[in-house]
Amino acid sequence: MSYVSELLEQVKQRNANESEFHQAVEEVLESLEVVLEKNPQYIDAGIMERLVEPERQVVFRVPWVDDNGKVQVNRGFRVQYNSSIGPYKGGIRFHPSVNLSIIKFLGFEQIFKNSLTGLPIGGGKGGSDFDPKGRSDNEIMRFCQSFMTELYRHLGADTDVPAGDIGVGAREVGYMYGQYKRIRNVYEGVFTGKGLTYGGSLVRKEATGYGLVYFVEEMLKAKGDSFKGKRVVISGSGNVAIYAARKAEELGAKVVAFSDSNSYICCEDGVNCDIVQQLKEVERRRIREYKDRDAKASVHEGCSGIWSTKCDIALPCATQNELQKEDAEMLVKNGVIAVAEGANMPCTPEAVEVFQKNNVLFGPGKAGNAGGVATSALEMAQNSMRYSWTFEEVDAKLQQIMKDIYHSAATAAKEYGKEDDLVTGANIAGFLKVAEAMKAQGAV
Ligand code: GLU
């Protein structure tokens, strides 16, 4: 058995029943095989065994009182995965599906993603199985305060800096940040994605979606193509999806479909992003209600059918494993030319294989959606300086970072004989910086 297969076996045994975590580790380890062959010193230094084991995992009880006076109990998580190149950095997810496997897969991915940004941030992730859907504003606030009353002791602007993710947006970040500040009595950049009145950065809200489109534009440019005149399908209808759509439109594309966990909508003339944003972000309603405000749209039950919509570019921006083998086959049959992940691990390994076999340009999430966390690092920099950059300044930095990420991934892929394989390229480029830092810092 090869070194990598043996390690993978060990990871599976040691972390039984954590299928998402296994999936994320398997993809990375397999693509690093070529690097380890050339650099046995990483094996000698035990880099891989250390990389797959989080530095620290915190699991805690989150009790809170609902609007009926009943005590509810949720589970909270923070996985501080790797701090070799900077303080732990990564979002917090509130969703009923959250468990240790999900947080570990996200934290593991975050190490390489954050490294790829070129900025000094380590990898971490957190969350809770709390379901914000249907909860009142007061319930959300009480939950966030209870969550932070436990988590604060593990955080710090130079230790661990969380941000948003699914189910955690400006509102939740505000409540958590407020509670942290109250308990600690310090005003520090311990969270990113903060509101603009209390230390947030311009462009942070737009960053993941904009960054994804900047990345894809670069990927298309390398093949002499662009977004101009393309039909785009975007799954999800959160922050990532909305701003990816806005930027794609700005670059001359037409976005024809959006989804949420219940249904998807199609609009041949192009979906109106203002309506989607009003519905989802402001009113917190379901996407199917889009039709009440735009009669030209059609509504379809279920979310996976969205991949049967004919398009040139598909941007899965909803959640893990939302795009499977059959969906990928359908997209290929309908002539898709590029797919890039706005969400974390939205395509199953089998789906990615279908794209790669059919020469569809494929941008993995670690690279494509890194604009969010990159702008978080820019927010941290501004907080440390007690200064803020203009929208144009941050946006220009984001654009440059996304271009650099594309080129680091493409160059690494080529160097290791896997030209055009950005999955392998992103994993290798992200890994090398972390591995070098770990080796230099000794067996800690
Ligand atoms: N949750 C986002 C991600 O998956 C952003 C993390 C951050 O800004 O720290 O990368």
Side-chain angles (χ1 to χ4, degrees):
M1 226 202 269
S2 76
Y3 168 76
V4 158
S5 326
E6 230 169 87
L7 181 58
L8 194 59
E9 228 13 76
Q10 199 181 306
V11 167
K12 287 183 178 169
Q13 270 180 26
R14 230 186 186 177
N15 306 274
N17 306 319
E18 295 185 355
S19 61
E20 294 85 1
F21 176 59
H22 301 167
Q23 184 183 331
V25 173
E26 185 159 359
E27 186 221 82
V28 170
L29 288 187
E30 276 176 1
S31 61
L32 292 179
E33 223 155 355
V34 281
V35 181
L36 298 174
E37 268 164 33
K38 273 198 190 170
N39 302 279
Q41 74 271 19
Y42 294 140
I43 299 181
D44 298 341
I47 301 289
M48 307 316 292
E49 286 82 354
R50 285 191 276 150
L51 252 184
V52 295
E53 187 68 20
E55 289 176 15
R56 191 173 297 106
Q57 306 182 53
V58 190
V59 182
F60 50 98
R61 183 176 67 188
V62 189
W64 57 283
V65 181
D66 70 17
D67 284 347
N68 299 318
K70 190 170 176 294
V71 177
Q72 301 277 348
V73 177
N74 285 98
R75 189 171 283 179
F77 303 89
R78 186 74 184 165
V79 173
Q80 299 182 325
Y81 222 112
N82 191 295
S83 62
S84 55
I85 63 167
Y88 308 109
K89 181 84 198 84
I92 288 191
R93 175 177 292 192
F94 291 165
H95 192 270
S97 65
V98 164
N99 56 34
L100 196 55
S101 169
I102 303 261
I103 299 298
K104 276 165 71 181
F105 113 65
L106 290 164
F108 184 73
E109 297 258 302
Q110 202 84 43
I111 306 170
F112 307 97
K113 185 198 304 195
N114 294 3
S115 165
L116 270 175
T117 65
L119 299 166
I121 38 178
K125 200 84 185 193
S128 173
D129 58 1
F130 171 69
D131 187 358
K133 266 197 202 93
R135 289 296 175 190
S136 71
D137 220 45
N138 276 327
E139 288 179 314
I140 300 281
M141 182 173 74
R142 286 196 294 273
F143 177 80
C144 289
Q145 290 176 339
S146 178
F147 185 83
M148 192 45 77
T149 300
E150 180 62 33
L151 187 62
Y152 84 93
R153 69 190 83 244
H154 305 287
L155 306 182
D158 294 312
T159 305
D160 185 353
V161 183
D165 195 82
I166 294 172
V168 177
R171 173 178 62 165
E172 293 75 15
V173 168
Y175 293 148
M176 286 190 268
Y177 181 74
Q179 183 74 350
Y180 177 89
K181 180 171 66 63
R182 187 177 184 203
I183 298 175
R184 271 276 164 95
N185 196 28
V186 282
Y187 207 104
E188 57 172 358
V190 73
F191 241 95
T192 60
K194 299 187 291 300
L196 296 175
T197 52
Y198 61 96
S201 172
L202 288 161
V203 196
R204 177 61 191 90
K205 192 165 85 161
E206 296 85 353
T208 314
Y210 277 17
L212 177 67
V213 170
Y214 294 148
F215 180 89
V216 175
E217 185 75 344
E218 204 59 24
M219 189 163 90
L220 292 168
K221 200 168 120 194
K223 303 287 167 197
D225 209 340
S226 78
F227 265 100
K228 220 175 199 90
K230 299 291 188 298
R231 273 172 71 92
V232 181
V233 164
I234 302 184
S235 65
S237 43
N239 219 32
V240 183
I242 289 171
Y243 289 103
R246 288 197 184 277
K247 188 52 79 177
E249 277 180 356
E250 216 181 291
L251 297 182
K254 187 163 77 176
V255 178
V256 292
F258 267 115
S259 63
D260 64 15
S261 54
N262 294 105
S263 54
Y264 71 98
I265 55 153
C266 285
C267 204
E268 272 307 310
D269 295 347
V271 177
N272 182 328
C273 291
D274 291 336
I275 300 181
V276 176
Q277 193 157 7
Q278 175 67 24
L279 268 177
K280 299 299 293 187
E281 205 178 281
V282 183
E283 299 177 29
R284 300 181 192 276
R285 292 175 189 273
R286 307 307 302 180
I287 198 77
R288 65 160 62 92
E289 293 177 49
Y290 180 93
K291 196 174 165 36
D292 304 337
R293 301 178 195 198
D294 181 355
K296 291 194 296 289
S298 57
V299 183
H300 310 262
E301 283 311 307
C303 48
S304 62
I306 192 170
W307 306 121
S308 61
T309 313
K310 192 174 160 39
C311 63
D312 305 301
I313 298 171
L315 304 176
C317 296
T319 194
Q320 68 272 352
N321 294 329
E322 57 162 307
L323 197 162
Q324 308 190 349
K325 186 170 181 232
E326 308 73 57
D327 305 317
E329 284 165 349
M330 181 75 87
L331 282 164
V332 169
K333 201 177 114 215
N334 286 335
V336 75
I337 59 163
V339 178
E341 299 181 316
N344 291 311
M345 207 168 78
C347 300
T348 62
E350 297 76 25
V352 177
E353 206 182 312
V354 170
F355 294 136
Q356 290 180 329
K357 275 200 178 134
N358 288 280
N359 296 320
V360 173
L361 297 173
F362 181 75
K366 274 183 212 93
N369 74 34
V373 76
T375 308
S376 277
L378 300 178
E379 182 172 331
M380 290 163 74
Q382 293 168 85
N383 291 164
S384 300
M385 289 190 288
R386 302 200 188 283
Y387 186 71
S388 22
W389 291 318
T390 62
F391 191 96
E392 290 69 29
E393 282 173 305
V394 182
D395 191 37
K397 288 183 203 300
L398 170 63
Q399 278 189 52
Q400 191 57 50
I401 291 168
M402 297 316 295
K403 281 186 184 173
D404 292 347
I405 292 177
Y406 170 78
H407 291 288
S408 329
T411 308
K414 201 168 169 189
E415 215 174 295
Y416 284 87
K418 305 261 177 177
E419 191 154 359
D420 287 337
D421 177 353
L422 295 175
V423 174
T424 302
N427 287 340
I428 294 177
F431 166 78
L432 286 173
K433 182 179 176 191
V434 175
E436 277 305 312
M438 287 176 75
K439 193 156 78 69
Q441 291 170 32
V444 289

